[in-house]
Each structure stands twice: as C-alpha cells, then as structure tokens.
Amino acid sequence: MKDEDYMAAALRLAKKGAGKTSPNPQVGAVIVKGDRVIGQGYHQRAGGDHAEAAALKNASEDPRDATLYVTLEPCCTHGRTPPCTDALLGYGLSRVVVGMVDPNPRVSGRGMEILRKGGVEIRVGVLEEACRNLNEAYIKHVTTGLPFVIMKSAATLDGKIAAASGESRWITGEEARKFVHTIRSRVDAVMTGVGTILRDDPQLTARPNRGSGRNPTRIIVDSRLRTPPTARVLHPGTGAEVFIATLSGAPSEKAEALRARGAHILAVPPHDGRVDLADLMRQFGERGITSILMEGGSELNAGALAQGVVDKVLIFFAPMIMGGWDSPPIVGGRGPLNIQEAGRLTRVSMRKLGRDRLLTGYMDRRCSQD
C-alpha cells in the first residue's frame, strides 16, 4: 500500500470524532510496521488522548522503527495531554507521514522540526486537501479567532424558501432533513433569526438518523427581543445553552423574562440598525465556538453575506417551483447594481439526497478583485 492509502485510513478514523473534539481538531493516526497495520486511533473528545497516543496504546507489537500516518502535525506543547512528539521519540518510530501542518501558531512546523532533530524521517502534505477540509472550522478559529460559518437554506428550484404566507414545512424531503440534523450534531452552534422563531417555533436540536447526537448551542439574532419566553427553543432538558443576541437598547423587562427561562442575553452593537453580525462572531469566537450553522431567513442571510461572515454555503434544492414576487428568496435585502458585485462560490459540488439536491460551495473572497 502507498502512503496515500494509509493516510486515507487515518482520515476515516479522524471522521469518527466529528462533533466531539471541538475546539480541538479531528485527527486520526495509523501505525504501520513493514506492511502491517499494528496500531490505530483517533482523537475521540477534547481533553482525551490525541490520535497518536491512542494509536500507540492500541499497538499490537513494539512500534520501534515503524511509520506513523497522522492527519495533522503532532503537537509539541503541554496542554491537557503531554506533547505527542515526546511519545513518538520515546517509542522510537523511524518515520512520520503528516497530512497537514498544524496552523496553530504554537505548533505550526515545530512538531515536525522536533521529530527531525530526533532522527525521524518526515513526509508532509499527503492528502493535504482532504485533511484541511476535515478541519476547516478548526483552521479558521485557530488562525483568526473567529468561528467558521455555514449558511444553510432549503429552497425551491427558483430560490424560494417559503410560500407567500410564510409556510415552509416542508420544502425538502425527509432524507435532506435528516442530513441537516447530522450537521447540527457536528457543529458547535446553530444560529437563526427571531423571524424563524416566531414563524416556525423550532427547537434547533440535533436528531441525527444514527446515534443520539449532541445538541449544539442555540443562537437567536433578535434586535428587539421579540422572542417569546414560551418558545420551544427555551424549553429545558436539551443540555445546550441558548444565547439571544440583541441591541443594547432592548427592553430590560423582556431580557429578564428570557433570562428567567435560562437564556443568555448578549448585547451587540448595531450595524445599519440591526445586530452587528461581525461583532457577534467575534464574541462567540472568544467563547471558544469554532463553527456555526446559520439557519436563517432571507434577511439574516442577506446581512451575513453583506458583512462577510459566511464561509460555506449549503443549499438544499427541492424539485418544485414556487414563483411569485411575494415568496421570500434565499437572500433578501437590496440586490447589487451589476453582475460583477454578486457573491460567488468556489469549490462547488452537488449531491443527491432522496428527491432533493444539496449544493455545497465556499464563498470566494477573491471575487471582488475580478
């Protein structure tokens, strides 16, 4: 087998930690001696063994002179666990193949340099793109302090997210909706606007098809604190916090009623009369939130795109046509004056989910330069 084959196996292991390792990255490791896999492991939860340590513990024989395949550069810092570089040198591995350099400024290349100085052969960049995609939220947070924001929407083929009455249940089918619950279980937080709360009264919990899932933190953008204390998102028992982002001048009696229901009220400065979403992202980044799934309506989507906080877009297209000027589109607000000003996506892909299609793309930060 080639280095790429063993790294692919390490990536499959790393994916098992999805939704459980934040704010740490997802990492997988495989130890190979000769042509035999003698150990494997992955980072299962924040504070637990790193993938390298887990693979060494699971090794079926002495790993001396073996090769380690790991999706992320081994750490060289003391945290809740000891440095992986110390363990690798102590066990006498002769070669380490790394998927990607750790972007954490405390590590970034230092781990590999320590291993090289210890006589370990290093190869870096094997299946690097796949390794980076796996940890896109970790990469953004550790390099900018901001969360990775995914804008999700369910729409008809003509880009409508609801009927003229506001009815939106259900545009997409059951398989697509199950997939959304899986995504929720893997992000740190889900964010929506107060309009969605008033119209649909969602719980914003994670109920994936397989496994119990982990409920994400819930965030409601509500400039005037219109969220009713009876909203289902505030019901106890989910094990997840609720934050309501509002303007500093919001009525104090409403804030107290919501606090009594367990909500955290965040005062955010205004941007064009509404919650400044860029400042809100900064606040959540400081709280250790690395990823946010934004499930808002037309206006929240428009504001997030205009302020440049969206990194990734997921649009579930249903095979139907709504029509009508009064049916809300995916993105509201005022449109650009010309095509050149339109936001563009890169790395676009499409997949089938039951009767629906999921379009995935990343915001192209270079489009303004075209």
Side-chain angles (χ1 to χ4, degrees), residues 13 27-31 38-45 48-60 68 70 81-82 84 87-88 91:
L13 287 167
V27 185
V30 173
I31 302 173
I38 65 168
Q40 54 187 347
Y42 67 99
H43 186 41
Q44 297 187 27
R45 58 178 178 82
D49 285 341
H50 287 191
E52 302 93 321
L56 288 168
K57 284 184 178 179
N58 295 331
S60 59
L68 170 75
V70 63
T81 58
C84 291
L88 298 177
Y91 276 94

Side-chain angles (χ1 to χ4, degrees), residues 17-133:
K20 304 169 187 175
T21 65
S22 182
N24 294 346
Q26 300 172 60
V27 185
V30 173
I31 302 173
V32 177
K33 195 167 186 177
D35 58 356
R36 306 181 314 281
V37 174
I38 65 168
Q40 54 187 347
Y42 67 99
H43 186 41
Q44 297 187 27
R45 58 178 178 82
D49 285 341
H50 287 191
E52 302 93 321
L56 288 168
K57 284 184 178 179
N58 295 331
S60 59
E61 60 183 270
D62 186 355
R64 185 168 299 278
D65 296 326
T67 296
L68 170 75
Y69 294 86
V70 63
T71 56
L72 183 72
E73 175 183 7
C75 70
C76 56
T77 58
H78 287 270
R80 284 185 279 185
T81 58
C84 291
T85 50
D86 289 359
L88 298 177
L89 291 173
Y91 276 94
L93 279 84
S94 62
R95 184 169 181 254
V96 172
V97 179
V98 176
M100 62 170 284
V101 175
D102 191 338
N104 186 336
R106 299 177 60 206
V107 180
S108 195
R110 290 181 57 221
M112 292 184 295
E113 184 60 26
I114 289 171
L115 293 174
R116 282 194 186 98
K117 288 181 177 179
V120 178
E121 178 188 342
I122 300 292
R123 183 186 177 192
V124 63
V126 177
L127 301 188
E128 180 175 6
E129 183 178 358
C131 292
R132 293 184 66 84
N133 289 342

Side-chain angles (χ1 to χ4, degrees), residues 140-177:
K140 183 180 181 184
H141 187 259
V142 81
T143 57
T144 69
L146 299 172
F148 186 86
V149 179
I150 306 165
M151 188 185 88
K152 168 260 170 183
S153 193
T156 60
L157 293 178
D158 55 338
K160 304 295 185 176
I161 62 172
S165 65
E167 180 189 1
S168 60
R169 294 184 176 180
W170 295 104
I171 288 179
T172 52
E174 183 178 355
E175 190 168 340
R177 297 198 300 273

Side-chain angles (χ1 to χ4, degrees), residues 12 22 29 39 48 76 96 131 134 170 212 221 240 270 293 340 370:
R12 289 192 293 270
S22 182
C76 56
V96 172
C131 292
L134 179 68
W170 295 104
S212 59
V221 180
L293 177 66
Q340 286 70 30
D370 292 348

Side-chain angles (χ1 to χ4, degrees), residues 90-314:
Y91 276 94
L93 279 84
S94 62
R95 184 169 181 254
V96 172
V97 179
V98 176
M100 62 170 284
V101 175
D102 191 338
N104 186 336
R106 299 177 60 206
V107 180
S108 195
R110 290 181 57 221
M112 292 184 295
E113 184 60 26
I114 289 171
L115 293 174
R116 282 194 186 98
K117 288 181 177 179
V120 178
E121 178 188 342
I122 300 292
R123 183 186 177 192
V124 63
V126 177
L127 301 188
E128 180 175 6
E129 183 178 358
C131 292
R132 293 184 66 84
N133 289 342
L134 179 68
N135 281 311
E136 56 194 9
Y138 167 76
I139 292 170
K140 183 180 181 184
H141 187 259
V142 81
T143 57
T144 69
L146 299 172
F148 186 86
V149 179
I150 306 165
M151 188 185 88
K152 168 260 170 183
S153 193
T156 60
L157 293 178
D158 55 338
K160 304 295 185 176
I161 62 172
S165 65
E167 180 189 1
S168 60
R169 294 184 176 180
W170 295 104
I171 288 179
T172 52
E174 183 178 355
E175 190 168 340
R177 297 198 300 273
K178 285 181 178 179
F179 188 70
V180 170
H181 282 284
T182 298
I183 299 171
R184 286 181 184 175
S185 72
R186 294 176 177 177
V187 297
D188 289 347
V190 172
M191 183 171 76
T192 195
V194 66
T196 299
I197 298 296
L198 294 174
R199 182 181 63 250
D200 298 333
D201 196 19
Q203 288 182 291
L204 299 178
T205 52
R207 302 182 296 279
N209 190 28
R210 287 180 286 181
S212 59
R214 171 191 57 85
N215 284 323
T217 294
R218 278 78 57 78
I219 304 167
I220 304 168
V221 180
D222 184 359
S223 300
R224 292 179 286 154
L225 286 187
R226 293 187 292 150
T227 301
T230 56
R232 293 204 305 159
V233 73
L234 297 175
H235 287 187
T238 63
E241 295 180 298
V242 177
F243 289 84
I244 301 179
T246 190
L247 300 178
S248 56
S252 59
E253 65 276 9
K254 290 185 178 181
E256 288 306 315
L258 292 168
R259 286 193 185 99
R261 294 286 294 161
H264 303 279
I265 308 299
L266 288 183
V268 184
H271 178 86
D272 291 339
R274 298 186 179 185
V275 166
D276 187 326
L277 297 175
D279 187 83
L280 183 61
M281 295 304 104
R282 178 191 60 78
Q283 291 195 41
F284 279 109
E286 291 175 350
R287 291 176 177 269
I289 296 292
T290 68
S291 57
I292 295 176
L293 177 66
M294 192 177 74
E295 299 190 54
S298 296
E299 296 308 310
L300 183 60
N301 290 345
L305 289 169
Q307 292 190 54
V309 303
V310 177
D311 298 291
K312 186 176 183 178
V313 173
L314 301 178

